[in-house]
């Protein structure tokens, strides 16, 4: 598999509405997201252990479509709330207010988007473990399944 294949961005720049859900479908949402503008992974213990991959949006860009009654809330502080489905246990989105991240925000778990190919979108790795939110690294996302299919198709 070549670097050109694995770094190809399949998302069109600009925000568009994406729908997502937890695996059992009890929690469903819609959010206006521009993944090409960047996504985040954090090294804090909860993000590492749940394999969180987020995209931050303003509160006005997030809409909960179903599941308010089954949402649990995990938080270490009022700065950030991890919302998860009490039925299947998956952390679907978060929200809070962190000045270093631009104030009030929602963060969507991109792994919960329905049918989105995010190959090539930039991922910024942040230091949430030490509450500095400093940038540690930036790399394009490579979906191993999509990359393998592209490599097979190209030869």
């Amino acid at each position: 598999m070549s670097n050109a294949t694995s770094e190809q961005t399949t998302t069109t720049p600009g925000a568009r509405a994406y729908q997502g859900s937890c695996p059992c479908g009890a929690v469903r949402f819609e959010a206006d997201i521009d993944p090409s503008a960047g996504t985040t992974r954090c090294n804090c213990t909860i993000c590492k252990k749940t394999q969180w991959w987020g995209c931050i949006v303003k509160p006005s860009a997030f809409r909960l479509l179903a599941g308010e009654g089954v949402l649990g809330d995990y938080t270490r502080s009022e700065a950030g709330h991890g919302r998860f489905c009490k039925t299947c246990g998956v952390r679907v989105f978060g929200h809070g207010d962190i000045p270093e991240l631009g104030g009030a925000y929602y963060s969507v778990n991109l792994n919960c988007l329905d049918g989105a190919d995010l190959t090539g979108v930039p991922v910024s790795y942040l230091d949430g473990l030490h509450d500095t939110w400093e940038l540690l690294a930036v790399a394009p996302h490579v979906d191993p399944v999509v990359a393998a299919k592209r490599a097979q198709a190209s030869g």
Side-chain angles (χ1 to χ4, degrees):
M1 157 170 60
S2 73
N3 285 342
T5 300
S6 64
E7 292 178 8
Q8 178 182 358
T9 300
T10 58
T11 57
T12 305
R16 74 172 189 88
Y18 286 86
Q19 292 198 352
S21 62
C22 62
C24 75
V27 176
R28 292 183 296 110
F29 66 90
E30 183 176 73
D32 301 325
I33 302 171
D34 180 3
S36 70
T39 64
T40 60
R41 303 243 14 201
C42 170
N43 66 350
C44 77
T45 55
I46 187 70
C47 289
K48 278 178 45 177
K49 291 184 179 201
T50 62
Q51 293 296 305
W52 179 265
W53 178 24
C55 190
I56 296 172
V57 299
K58 291 294 182 189
S60 61
F62 180 86
R63 296 164 296 283
L64 183 62
L65 302 176
E68 187 170 347
V70 297
L71 281 174
D73 186 359
Y74 175 80
T75 184
R76 292 186 317 162
S77 73
E78 283 304 306
H81 296 265
R83 305 305 301 267
F84 63 92
C85 174
K86 291 183 197 176
T87 304
C88 65
V90 171
R91 191 168 155 218
V92 183
F93 66 91
H95 61 87
D97 192 331
I98 298 175
E100 294 85 351
L101 297 179
Y105 71 91
Y106 268 71
S107 183
V108 173
N109 185 350
L110 297 176
N111 290 316
C112 290
L113 294 182
D114 298 329
D117 178 2
L118 300 173
T119 302
V121 300
V123 182
S124 296
Y125 295 86
L126 305 176
D127 186 12
L129 181 62
H130 302 101
D131 291 325
T132 68
W133 305 104
E134 290 182 24
L135 181 65
L136 300 173
V138 177
H141 171 68
V142 176
D143 181 320
V145 174
V146 172
K149 285 180 181 178
R150 285 194 184 128
Q152 282 181 332
S154 66

